[in-house]
Amino acid sequence: MTGKSSRYSKKSGGSRRHNARGEKYAAVKEKNAADRKVVSYEDIPIDEYDEATPIQPEVVKRLLKVLLIIFACVIALLVILNWSKLSPENVSRFIQYDLLGISQGEGYPAKINGNEVVKGDFMLMDEKTPVYVSDTSVVLLNDNAGQRQNIGHAFANPVLRTSRDYALVFNAGGTGMRIFTHSDSVSDISLENKIFCADISDEGSYAVVAQTDDYLSKLTAYTKDKNEKYVYSFADYYINTVSINSSGTRAIVSGVSAQKGSLISAVYILDFSQDDYIAKYEIPDNIIYDVEIFDNGNAAAIGKKESYFFDIENNKKNIIKYESKTLTDYQVMPNYGVVFSLARYPDGRDCDILAISPRGETVASFQTGLKANSVSMSSENIAVSIGNEIYLYKQKNGATLGQKKCKQSIKKIQMANDTVIYALGVTEIQKIELGNINS
């Protein structure tokens, strides 16, 4: 008994020492728990487990800095790629119409203001803005049929000419003329003599050919501010067509005359820094309908029986032969060249398509089998209209990309890009989307 009692007494003393150490350990643990910064999940209520870790301000600043650098690089790239198009007019137009959405419109078709629009008075500005002149109004539309401008006129015989940022309307046989930008009518001009023809450049300078007492006709070139900068008078030909290049430094004109009872046409190439013409070509027994001077220095003249391509630098004239076919329509595109619709029969049936680039190269030549009444060209494709139908073809091989039947007969088509076509109908403007440029 004594032994057993003695063991219990020793054990009891050890237990007291163990309890003392336990109390001391508990006190230290409690103190450490109070002082430590990281708390164990066991000490946090369950509803506080998902508390978000705050984002450090330095991280936010670095992220914003990276985004700003990327944004600046994108803007710089866009500026570099579109530097030539960043005129004040273009910037203003982007802010007003693309950014702020002025004149949004209700979608095509757009009803024509006035009683009639002739085929030649429906064009595009900057290759995407439809412009037309009716017997009463000049109307500029956006890509959703909103009217950017709708201005009345009193011209008996209005004729429309367009460039990238400007439209010019003159009264053929009269003395009045008006110049438009995308958002405003900037000039009303009245000349002393009757106007034969006129044209306007991308930067706003323009050329007018008018009647004169001393010569058969006279060309006058003006600056954007309407100051006279060049004059050339023609003693032998009545000038009926003119084209000025995009920078307003050169022009091509054509005129007609009679020699020994026969009709003869002439084409002049003029440089506004030189007193005399830099090239002249006389063309017997052919009427010139239109002329165009390209930015690469070459030029073209569209004739009834054949057309001509001029390599001005080398003073060469190349004939574009129709091969006994009848010209039913053509379109001149300053950036893309000239496209012709040539019928195999005198009544306009079975048309072939021929397209010549500003370099003088044949970029398209194919048959359509259609009685085409209008033709237009983009960088890759060619559109043809017949009656109330539009067909889209690939330039390089003549493959059919699409076909669309419209609600009314089509007078004239204009391609805004490789797939979008604006069509002038009898009473409305239609917008057609056709094809796949990757076909």
Side-chain angles (χ1 to χ4, degrees):
M1 291 294 293
T2 303
K4 182 183 279 191
S5 177
S6 177
R7 284 199 302 272
Y8 286 149
S9 295
K10 292 179 181 177
K11 185 176 181 180
S12 177
S15 177
R16 284 194 296 271
R17 288 195 297 271
H18 176 76
N19 289 340
R21 287 197 300 270
E23 291 173 0
K24 182 177 180 181
Y25 175 77
V28 171
K29 180 178 179 182
E30 183 177 355
K31 182 177 183 300
N32 290 341
D35 293 342
R36 67 185 175 184
K37 295 182 180 180
V38 179
V39 181
S40 172
Y41 281 135
E42 285 78 1
D43 299 320
I44 300 176
I46 192 70
D47 59 351
E48 296 182 14
Y49 281 5
D50 295 331
E51 184 176 344
T53 302
I55 300 175
Q56 297 297 321
E58 293 80 5
V59 175
V60 176
K61 289 180 181 178
R62 289 176 184 174
L63 180 60
L64 289 176
K65 186 180 293 185
V66 170
L67 292 176
L68 286 173
I69 291 172
I70 293 173
F71 179 75
C73 290
V74 171
I75 294 298
L77 181 61
L78 290 174
V79 169
I80 292 171
L81 294 176
N82 297 277
W83 180 256
S84 62
K85 300 179 181 179
L86 292 178
S87 64
E89 292 84 359
N90 284 342
V91 174
S92 173
R93 184 170 72 253
F94 171 77
I95 294 173
Q96 291 184 69
Y97 300 109
D98 298 325
L99 193 61
L100 299 181
I102 297 175
S103 299
Q104 282 294 319
E106 298 179 355
Y108 286 89
K111 188 173 179 59
I112 290 172
N113 288 83
N115 297 316
E116 183 183 12
V117 179
V118 300
K119 186 174 181 177
D121 285 342
F122 173 60
M123 296 183 176
L124 300 181
M125 291 172 69
D126 65 15
E127 298 180 355
K128 65 180 180 180
T129 301
V131 184
Y132 69 85
V133 181
S134 70
D135 53 338
T136 62
S137 306
V138 181
V139 181
L140 283 72
L141 301 172
N142 66 12
D143 59 4
N144 201 37
Q147 292 188 356
R148 293 185 173 183
Q149 291 195 70
N150 182 352
I151 300 175
H153 71 79
F155 295 163
N157 189 21
V159 178
L160 173 66
R161 302 289 286 183
T162 61
S163 64
R164 184 186 63 207
D165 296 320
Y166 294 88
L168 181 152
V169 179
F170 66 91
N171 189 16
T175 60
M177 185 167 63
R178 179 175 282 183
I179 296 174
F180 301 83
T181 63
H182 286 266
S183 59
D184 194 17
S185 173
V186 296
S187 296
D188 285 302
I189 300 166
S190 181
L191 302 181
E192 295 180 359
N193 297 306
K194 294 180 179 180
I195 302 171
F196 294 149
C197 54
D199 194 24
I200 192 162
S201 72
D202 286 352
E203 49 88 39
S205 60
Y206 55 98
V208 182
V209 178
Q211 189 182 49
T212 178
D213 295 334
D214 300 327
Y215 296 89
L216 296 183
S217 49
K218 180 177 72 173
L219 178 144
T220 305
Y222 298 88
T223 66
K224 178 180 178 179
D225 299 322
K226 299 187 288 186
N227 297 316
E228 185 179 296
K229 67 176 182 178
Y230 179 81
V231 175
Y232 191 91
S233 298
F234 302 88
D236 301 321
Y237 292 89
Y238 290 97
I239 302 301
N240 58 357
T241 65
V242 59
S243 170
I244 186 172
N245 66 355
S246 64
S247 59
T249 58
R250 282 187 172 186
I252 177 175
V253 303
S254 71
V256 294
S257 186
Q259 291 184 5
K260 299 178 181 180
S262 299
L263 178 103
I264 185 169
S265 297
V267 174
Y268 294 80
I269 311 294
L270 303 172
D271 189 305
F272 297 160
S273 65
Q274 301 181 28
D275 293 335
D276 203 1
Y277 57 79
I278 59 176
K280 178 184 177 181
Y281 305 92
E282 292 188 323
I283 302 167
D285 196 30
N286 195 11
I287 297 174
I288 302 300
Y289 292 142
D290 206 350
V291 290
E292 179 69 28
I293 186 163
F294 301 107
D295 283 343
N296 64 358
N298 296 329
I302 315 304
K304 180 180 180 179
K305 297 181 178 180
E306 60 186 19
S307 291
Y308 310 93
F309 185 87
F310 305 103
D311 181 345
I312 299 174
E313 183 178 352
N314 298 306
N315 195 26
K316 291 182 179 180
K317 179 185 74 174
N318 297 318
I319 301 175
I320 303 170
K321 295 184 178 295
Y322 298 164
E323 306 294 348
S324 301
K325 299 170 189 174
T326 302
L327 180 67
T328 64
D329 193 46
Y330 69 91
Q331 188 181 56
V332 180
M333 303 288 287
N335 292 333
Y336 307 133
V338 189
V339 59
F340 304 87
S341 171
L342 302 169
R344 293 173 176 265
Y345 299 94
D347 64 357
R349 288 180 293 129
D350 199 6
C351 287
D352 294 347
I353 299 300
L354 175 66
I356 309 296
S357 76
R359 297 182 301 275
E361 301 167 346
T362 299
V363 293
S365 180
F366 57 86
Q367 298 179 12
T368 68
L370 304 175
K371 188 177 181 180
N373 68 310
S374 182
V375 63
S376 185
M377 178 169 61
S378 67
S379 62
E380 298 286 339
N381 300 332
I382 291 174
V384 175
S385 70
I386 169 175
N388 67 338
E389 293 182 285
I390 297 176
Y391 295 79
L392 187 67
Y393 299 93
K394 198 73 175 174
Q395 267 187 39
K396 63 182 180 181
N397 56 17
T400 303
L401 299 178
Q403 177 186 353
K404 176 77 173 182
K405 183 172 287 189
C406 302
K407 294 181 179 179
Q408 55 182 242
S409 183
I410 298 166
K411 294 182 178 181
K412 182 68 178 177
I413 55 176
Q414 296 280 356
M415 295 195 72
N417 57 44
D418 288 326
T419 59
V420 175
I421 304 160
Y422 290 100
L424 170 66
V426 178
T427 62
E428 63 186 23
I429 308 287
Q430 300 173 70
K431 183 180 180 181
I432 312 297
E433 295 194 34
L434 278 175
N436 182 353
I437 62 174
N438 295 319
S439 298

